[in-house]
Amino acid sequence: SEYHYEYTACDSTGSRWRVAVPHTPGLCTSLPDPVKGTECSFSCKAGEFLDMKDQACKPCAEGRYSLGTGIRFDEWDELPRGFASLSTNWVPLGDYISSNTDECTATLMYAVNLKQSGTVNFEYYYPDSSIIFEFFVQNDQCQPNADDSRWMKTTEKGWEFHSVELNRGNNVLYWRTTAFSVWSKEWPTLQNASPANQAHTQTRRAPLAANFAQLTLIPIRERLLATKKGSSTCRVRPACTDKDYFYTHTACDASGETQLMYKWAQPKICSEDLEGAVKLPASGMKTRCPPCNPGFFKTNSSTCEPCPYGSYSNGSDCSHCPAGTEPAVGFEYKWWNTLPTNMETTVLSGINFEYKGMTGWEVAGDHIYTAVGASDNDFMILTLVVPGFRPPQSVMADTENKEVARITFVFETICSVNCELYFMVGMNSRTNSPVETWRGSKGKQSYTYIIEENATMSFTWAFQRTTFHETGRKYTNDVAKIYSINVTNVVDGVASYCRPCALEASDIGSSCTSCPAGYYIDRDSGTCRSCPPNTVLKAHQPYGAQACMTCGPGTKSNKIHSLCYNDCTFSISTPTRTFDYNFLALENTVSLAGGPSFTSKGLKYFHHFTLSLCGNQGKKMSVCTDNVTDLRIPEGESGFSKSITAYVCQAVIIPPEVTGYKAGVSSQPVSLADRLIGVTTDMTLDGITSPAELFHPEPLGIPDVIFFYRSNDVTQSCSSGRSTTIRVRCSLLKPAPGSLSLPSTCSDGTCDGCNFHFLWESAAACPLCSAADYHAIVSSCVAGIQKTTYVWREPKLCSGGISLPEQRVTICKTIDFWLKVGISAGTCTAILLTVLTCYFWKKNQKLEYKYSKLVMNATLKDCDLPAADSCAIMEGEDVEDDLIFTSKKSLFGKIRSFTSKRTPDGFDSVPLKTSSGGPDMDL
C-alpha cells in the first residue's frame, strides 16, 4: 500500500520496464525489482483495465467503466486540460462547448500522441449552413489531412456524431468556425469528444456518469426549483405573475362553440401560494366558433372537412365548379380555432438548441400567436408542410418566371426588446434555409415568397423574444402574430374559388385541359390562343389577351413566349446616322471581384460577381454556389438553396488565408438579375436608373448601350426586388471580352444594396462599321493610271461590320498631253490670225487704191477734166499703179481718220491734197 507501479519511458526498440515507486520518496525500502514491461503499443480493450501487478488486462468491476486507451470529455464547466481555444472564442457551457456568434474565426484545438492508429469521435450540433464549420487533423509535419470530412455537414435533427481516423504519432485536432452571415443565429457546439488509443502510462478508469444507477438523486421539494439541468443546488420558486400563463381557445364542441381558456406556461417554475402571486384567470364564456377556412365545410359534429375535388367553398357549404372552370386548389388559413393537420409547433431552446416538446404557437380565433416559452431566448417554431404543387401550366426550364406557386402570409410583431421573426424554407426534408427576417416591432403587413421548385416544401416561422443568453421570462408580452397564410397550386389542396380553364372535347363531353406553352385561355370561348410575337405569358394567371406582356425595348420573345431576351444585337438611329451593334463576342459569362472588405472584427472577404449579358436564347448562364457544406455531397445532389442561376449573381468569397484551406470558400449566393427588362441608350427604363456619373465619362461621343435587369427576390430592404444595369461602352483599345468595373463611389457594385451597376468596356461594344465610317483618297494621274484608296476616318469609332473597299484603279489623261494640245491649238490660232491679218490688210490696200482713184476722178471733173468712164478698176488696169498722197499719215493719224465722224450724207470725210500742192480739200 506504500508504493505503486509505473512504466519507464519507451526506448528506441519500443520496450519499457515496470518499476515500483513509493508514494513518498525515501519512505520505504526493499521495493520489488524492476521487471520487463509490456510493449509500448500494448493496450487493453474498452471495458478493461491493465492490472500493473500482473501486467494483464482485466474487466472493470461492476459499476465501473473504462475507455481502454481512450479518453472522454463530457463535462464542459471549464475548458478541459489539454484543450486550447484560440482567442477564447469557444465557451464552455456545462453540457457542451459553443463557438462564438460573430464573424471572428473560432478555433478549438487538442493535441494527442498515439502509439497506434485510432479514432476520434465527437457529437456536434450545427444547423446553420451559412457559417463555416470544419474539423481537421494535423500530423507530425503539421500537414492537414485531405479527408473530405474536413467540412462538416449541417445537422438535420438535433445532435449528430462524427468520427475520423487518426494516424499513429502526434495528432493535433482542430475545430474551427467562422460565423459570417446575418443568419448565423445558431452556431456549432460540441457535446462529447472522445479521442481513442492515446498513449497512456496506465489504463484509465472513471466513475459512472450521472445517469447510472450508482448516483443517488435528491428529489426537489415542491416549493424549490432546480437551478438548471444537472444542478447540485435548489432555489425557492418565485411567485406567479401574469407572465407565467397564456390564453388559448378550445376546439369547437358538438354545439359549434369554443371557449377562451388560460394555461400555465410549461415548465411551471412559479408558485401560486406565495404572497402576491397571481391566480390563473377563469375561463371565458363560450362563443360561437369561427367559420371553417376556405375550401372546407362544417360537418354535423362542428368539425371542418375539406371539400371534394371539383368543388369550392368560402368556409360553409361546398359548391361544384361551373362548366369551363376548374378549382384553384391551395391552402388558405385565416380562421384559427385549431391548428391545421399539416402544421405543427414546438419550442427550440436558444441555449442548448434542444427541442422541448412544448407548444410554441397558440390559436386565437382570427390569428395565431407565440405562446410563452421556458425562456425568453427560446425559438417558438411553427411549421407548415406542403406535399407538392400543381401549377395551371407546365413551367418550362427556360422560362423567365419559374413560378410554380406562391405563399403569402399576413403577420405582425409586438416587441419591447430585440425580438426577431424568421421565415425559413426547406425542400425535400432538407435543412431549412432562412429567407427573410424581421427585427423589432413590425406593423401588420403581408409578405409573399415565390416557389420555383415542385417538391415537398416546409415553411417555418421562428420567433425569438430576445437574443440574450439569459434564462427566465421577462418579455412574455412580446409576441408575433400570423393572421392568414395562403399557398397556391397545392397538390391535394382545397379551393375557395374556380378559375377558367381550356376546354377539350371528348366522348363524354368537354373537360379542362392545359394550354400549350405560350398560349393563353380565352375567357369567352374557353380555347387556347397563342400570344402575339414579342410577348411573354404570365405564369400565374394565363387568362385573356392581357396575360401576354410586351417585351421591353431591344428584346424579343422566344418561340414559346416564356421569356424576353436579347440576341446580342442592337440598333439605334440618330439624326446623323444609324448605329448597329453585335455583342456576340460578349455572350459568355465573365466574373468580377470587388475590392477587399472587412467586417468590424477584421474578417477579410470579397464580393464576387458573375455576369452573362445576352444571347444563349435567353438562358441564364451565371451560376453562384455555396460550397461551405456541399463539398461532400455528390454532384447533382446539392439540393435547395445551394446554387443560384441568373443573368447576374453575387457570392461572398472568403479567401484561403481566412479559411486555412487550399481554396477559398464561396457562400451566400444571391441573384441580382432574373429578368431582362430591356436594352436602350436611355438612362432610365421601367423605374430603373443607371446614373452616368457613377463611371468616368465616355470620351468618344458614342452613347453607352445599357442592359436593364430585375431579380425575383423581394426583401424587406428591397421592396421592389433588386435591379442591375450593365453599361456596355465602346473601347477599341480593349479587345473582347474587354474589362468590367464597378462604380468608383460604390466598390461593392451598389450604393443602396438594391440597385447594382456595372461598366463593361470592350472593342466588341463598338458599333458595326458602315460606309459612313470611311472616306476615299484619290491619287494623281501617273502614267495614265489613277488610284482611289479607302481609309477609316480618324478616330475610328467602329468595329467589325463591313470591310474597307478594295483599292480602285482607273485610266486617266496626264497633264503633258493637255499641255501639248494647248500649245498646238495656240500655234494654230496664231497662224490663223496672222493669215487673216494679212488677208484683210491686202483687202484694205485694194480698197484704198480704188478710193484714191475715185477721188482723183472727182477732182478732174471739178477742173473740167474729162469724166471717168468708171469708178472701178477696169480690166487690164494695174492695181499696182502709183498712188500719190499729199502727205504720209502716221499710225495715229490713220486711227484718227478711221474713227472720225461721218458727214451728214453718210460718207466719211477724207482730207486730200491736190497734186499742185494747193490747200487740202475735205471730201
Side-chain angles (χ1 to χ4, degrees):
S1 61
E2 295 178 344
Y3 65 91
H4 62 277
Y5 292 109
E6 290 184 2
Y7 281 124
T8 63
C10 295
D11 57 23
S12 58
T13 62
S15 301
R16 56 185 175 179
W17 292 82
R18 188 202 69 176
V19 296
V21 180
H23 298 318
T24 303
L27 180 63
C28 57
T29 59
S30 302
L31 293 173
D33 294 331
V35 297
K36 191 173 182 62
T38 59
E39 295 295 326
C40 290
S41 59
F42 175 83
S43 62
C44 294
K45 298 179 182 179
E48 298 179 341
F49 71 98
L50 179 62
D51 187 333
M52 293 294 289
K53 182 177 181 180
D54 299 333
Q55 296 195 77
C57 294
K58 295 183 179 180
C60 294
E62 185 177 353
R64 314 285 287 183
Y65 76 96
S66 168
L67 299 176
T69 58
I71 187 171
R72 179 183 178 90
F73 301 97
D74 55 8
E75 294 182 2
W76 303 95
D77 294 319
E78 60 182 4
L79 200 63
R81 184 177 180 181
F83 280 87
S85 175
L86 303 185
S87 302
T88 65
N89 286 327
W90 284 79
V91 182
L93 295 173
D95 294 333
Y96 61 90
I97 185 170
S98 175
S99 72
N100 61 319
T101 61
D102 56 26
E103 68 272 16
C104 288
T105 299
T107 303
L108 179 68
M109 54 189 298
Y110 178 77
V112 62
N113 182 279
L114 302 185
K115 294 302 179 181
Q116 57 183 348
S117 60
T119 59
V120 58
N121 304 280
F122 59 90
E123 190 178 12
Y124 73 100
Y125 179 76
Y126 171 38
D128 190 353
S129 62
S130 296
I131 66 177
I132 304 168
F133 181 31
E134 53 183 325
F135 171 75
F136 61 95
V137 182
Q138 284 188 347
N139 56 21
D140 289 332
Q141 289 76 37
C142 294
Q143 297 295 323
N145 59 353
D147 192 356
D148 290 340
S149 61
R150 175 189 184 101
W151 303 100
M152 304 302 297
K153 292 196 299 183
T154 54
T155 54
E156 300 293 338
K157 296 180 180 179
W159 296 82
E160 293 187 5
F161 285 94
H162 186 68
S163 178
V164 174
E165 298 292 332
L166 300 179
N167 296 324
R168 178 181 176 181
N170 291 320
N171 291 267
V172 182
L173 317 181
Y174 289 89
W175 294 266
R176 184 160 62 190
T177 67
T178 301
F180 185 66
S181 172
V182 295
W183 299 109
S184 298
K185 299 303 299 179
E186 302 172 358
W187 48 91
T189 57
L190 298 179
Q191 194 171 46
N192 299 305
S194 303
N197 288 344
Q198 294 192 99
H200 291 296
T201 56
Q202 54 186 333
T203 302
R204 302 279 181 169
R205 289 180 292 177
L208 280 171
N211 59 340
F212 280 68
Q214 174 180 312
L215 184 64
T216 302
L217 300 179
I218 303 174
I220 299 295
R221 295 192 297 274
E222 181 64 26
R223 295 188 62 179
L224 297 179
L225 176 71
T227 304
K228 64 177 182 177
K229 179 180 178 181
S231 295
S232 59
T233 60
C234 300
R235 61 184 177 90
V236 178
R237 291 178 180 269
C240 292
T241 67
D242 57 358
K243 301 181 183 300
D244 293 307
Y245 64 84
F246 63 93
Y247 67 92
T248 185
H249 287 76
T250 62
C252 290
D253 57 20
S255 302
E257 294 180 330
T258 183
Q259 187 178 22
L260 177 68
M261 294 187 63
Y262 295 90
K263 295 181 178 180
W264 291 113
Q266 299 297 324
K268 184 181 178 184
I269 60 174
C270 65
S271 174
E272 305 173 61
D273 302 329
L274 297 178
E275 182 179 357
V278 301
K279 300 293 184 180
L280 196 66
S283 300
M285 296 292 295
K286 286 190 174 183
T287 58
R288 186 170 182 79
C289 286
C292 294
N293 282 308
F296 290 82
F297 70 96
K298 188 165 291 187
T299 65
N300 295 332
S301 59
S302 296
T303 60
C304 294
E305 295 293 335
C307 291
Y309 182 78
S311 60
Y312 68 99
S313 81
N314 60 359
S316 56
D317 296 330
C318 300
S319 303
H320 288 285
C321 288
T325 64
E326 62 180 354
V329 294
F331 290 136
E332 184 178 358
Y333 302 122
K334 62 180 182 180
W335 299 109
W336 304 92
N337 181 251
T338 58
L339 200 65
T341 55
N342 60 344
M343 298 183 73
E344 61 181 17
T345 177
T346 186
V347 177
L348 176 69
S349 171
I351 298 178
N352 58 14
F353 305 107
E354 292 181 348
Y355 290 99
K356 297 184 176 181
M358 300 169 55
T359 299
W361 293 69
E362 288 287 345
V363 295
D366 64 345
H367 67 276
I368 184 172
Y369 74 102
T370 51
V372 178
S375 178
D376 285 337
N377 62 359
D378 288 345
F379 290 93
M380 318 307 288
I381 307 295
L382 177 68
T383 301
L384 167 66
V385 178
V386 178
F389 303 93
R390 191 181 68 174
Q393 288 190 327
S394 59
V395 178
M396 307 302 294
D398 58 349
T399 185
E400 184 175 85
N401 187 353
K402 294 185 178 181
E403 178 178 336
V404 173
R406 58 176 58 190
I407 177 172
T408 302
F409 59 91
V410 179
F411 71 98
E412 177 185 18
T413 58
I414 303 173
C415 304
S416 59
V417 287
N418 57 338
C419 71
E420 294 180 340
L421 174 64
Y422 299 94
F423 175 62
M424 297 173 283
V425 178
M427 185 178 72
N428 292 333
S429 301
R430 291 186 62 85
T431 305
N432 287 333
S433 296
V435 172
E436 188 57 278
T437 181
W438 296 268
R439 294 179 174 86
S441 295
K442 298 296 179 183
K444 192 175 181 180
Q445 58 186 273
S446 173
Y447 177 81
T448 299
Y449 174 76
I450 304 299
I451 303 164
E452 297 183 347
E453 295 283 347
N454 193 351
T456 300
M457 306 290 288
S458 64
F459 306 98
T460 300
W461 295 263
F463 180 73
Q464 188 180 32
R465 289 181 168 87
T466 177
T467 58
F468 300 139
H469 286 197
E470 299 177 359
T471 59
R473 299 168 180 156
K474 298 180 182 179
Y475 312 109
T476 56
N477 292 330
D478 294 3
V479 295
K481 297 180 180 180
I482 296 179
Y483 293 93
S484 64
I485 301 174
N486 187 5
V487 188
T488 64
N489 302 334
V490 177
V491 172
D492 298 331
V494 295
S496 60
Y497 68 95
C498 297
R499 61 192 175 196
C501 67
L503 297 178
E504 181 182 36
S506 62
D507 296 338
I508 59 175
S510 299
S511 60
C512 288
T513 185
S514 297
C515 288
Y519 285 72
Y520 66 90
I521 301 173
D522 187 283
R523 292 181 180 271
D524 297 329
S525 62
T527 58
C528 298
R529 298 184 182 274
S530 175
C531 282
N534 294 329
T535 61
V536 292
L537 184 66
K538 293 180 181 178
H540 63 283
Q541 193 177 3
Y543 305 109
Q546 64 273 16
C548 302
M549 303 177 63
T550 304
C551 293
T555 65
K556 61 182 181 180
S557 66
N558 58 358
K559 294 182 179 179
I560 60 175
H561 300 277
S562 62
L563 58 84
C564 297
Y565 74 101
N566 177 270
D567 59 358
C568 292
T569 62
F570 181 71
S571 179
I572 184 173
S573 297
T574 65
T576 57
R577 61 171 294 182
T578 297
F579 292 99
D580 295 316
Y581 295 86
N582 189 323
F583 303 125
L584 284 175
L586 308 179
E587 68 174 349
N588 296 326
T589 58
V590 293
S591 298
L592 170 67
S597 300
F598 299 88
T599 65
S600 58
K601 298 297 181 65
L603 178 68
K604 183 180 180 181
Y605 65 95
F606 298 88
H607 283 117
H608 186 268
F609 303 94
T610 306
L611 297 84
S612 57
L613 185 70
C614 57
N616 302 296
Q617 292 295 310
K619 183 179 179 181
K620 303 181 182 79
M621 303 299 293
S622 298
V623 179
C624 296
T625 60
D626 180 353
N627 64 2
V628 174
T629 57
D630 283 350
L631 298 182
R632 299 178 62 191
I633 299 177
E635 185 72 21
E637 299 182 10
S638 58
F640 177 69
S641 189
K642 299 303 180 183
S643 64
I644 295 293
T645 302
Y647 290 113
V648 183
C649 60
Q650 172 194 4
V652 173
I653 301 296
I654 305 174
E657 59 264 27
V658 175
T659 63
Y661 195 50
K662 60 185 178 181
V665 172
S666 173
S667 66
Q668 303 176 32
V670 176
S671 171
L672 305 181
D674 294 310
R675 307 189 311 274
L676 177 60
I677 303 300
V679 184
T680 179
T681 56
D682 298 332
M683 288 195 302
T684 301
L685 179 65
D686 194 33
I688 308 173
T689 300
S690 174
E693 59 271 15
L694 291 179
F695 303 99
H696 59 271
E698 199 283 321
L700 302 178
I702 300 177
D704 294 338
V705 179
I706 308 175
F707 287 71
F708 293 84
Y709 304 88
R710 282 195 188 277
S711 72
N712 295 329
D713 296 334
V714 177
T715 64
Q716 186 178 356
S717 58
C718 304
S719 57
S720 299
R722 299 182 181 92
S723 67
T724 298
T725 65
I726 303 178
R727 280 181 172 265
V728 183
R729 177 173 294 177
C730 173
S731 179
L732 290 169
L733 299 180
K734 298 180 179 181
S739 64
L740 281 167
S741 59
L742 299 171
S744 57
T745 56
C746 309
S747 59
D748 291 334
T750 178
C751 299
D752 57 8
C754 298
N755 302 294
F756 292 78
H757 307 282
F758 302 90
L759 175 63
W760 194 338
E761 298 177 281
S762 173
C766 295
L768 297 177
C769 295
S770 65
D773 294 301
Y774 64 82
H775 63 95
I777 298 178
V778 181
S779 67
S780 59
C781 188
V782 177
I785 296 177
Q786 188 175 54
K787 298 180 179 179
T788 303
T789 305
Y790 299 91
V791 296
W792 296 113
R793 299 183 186 275
E794 294 296 336
K796 184 182 178 183
L797 303 178
C798 63
S799 176
I802 65 173
S803 302
L804 285 174
E806 296 290 337
Q807 188 182 60
R808 188 162 56 93
V809 179
T810 58
I811 299 175
C812 62
K813 302 294 184 179
T814 65
I815 190 171
D816 294 340
F817 171 80
W818 291 112
L819 181 60
K820 292 177 181 179
V821 171
I823 293 174
S824 300
T827 302
C828 294
T829 303
I831 295 173
L832 178 62
L833 290 175
T834 302
V835 172
L836 290 175
T837 301
C838 294
Y839 171 77
F840 284 110
W841 179 82
K842 190 69 174 176
K843 291 285 289 184
N844 187 57
Q845 289 293 322
K846 288 182 179 181
L847 288 175
E848 230 182 85
Y849 174 75
K850 290 180 178 181
Y851 187 72
S852 298
K853 285 280 192 180
L854 181 62
V855 171
M856 290 176 64
N857 291 336
T859 303
L860 292 176
K861 182 177 181 180
D862 289 341
C863 296
D864 294 330
L865 293 176
D869 293 336
S870 174
C871 291
I873 299 177
M874 295 298 164
E875 186 176 357
E877 292 182 337
D878 190 1
V879 296
E880 300 294 333
D881 291 344
D882 294 335
L883 179 61
I884 302 173
F885 293 95
T886 59
S887 65
K888 191 174 182 179
K889 285 188 178 182
S890 65
L891 179 63
F892 180 76
K894 291 180 179 181
I895 294 175
R896 186 179 63 180
S897 350
F898 181 77
T899 59
S900 62
K901 294 182 179 180
R902 292 188 177 186
T903 60
D905 55 3
F907 294 95
D908 293 335
S909 177
V910 179
L912 296 174
K913 283 185 178 182
T914 63
S915 61
S916 61
D920 294 339
M921 298 174 62
D922 290 333
L923 298 179

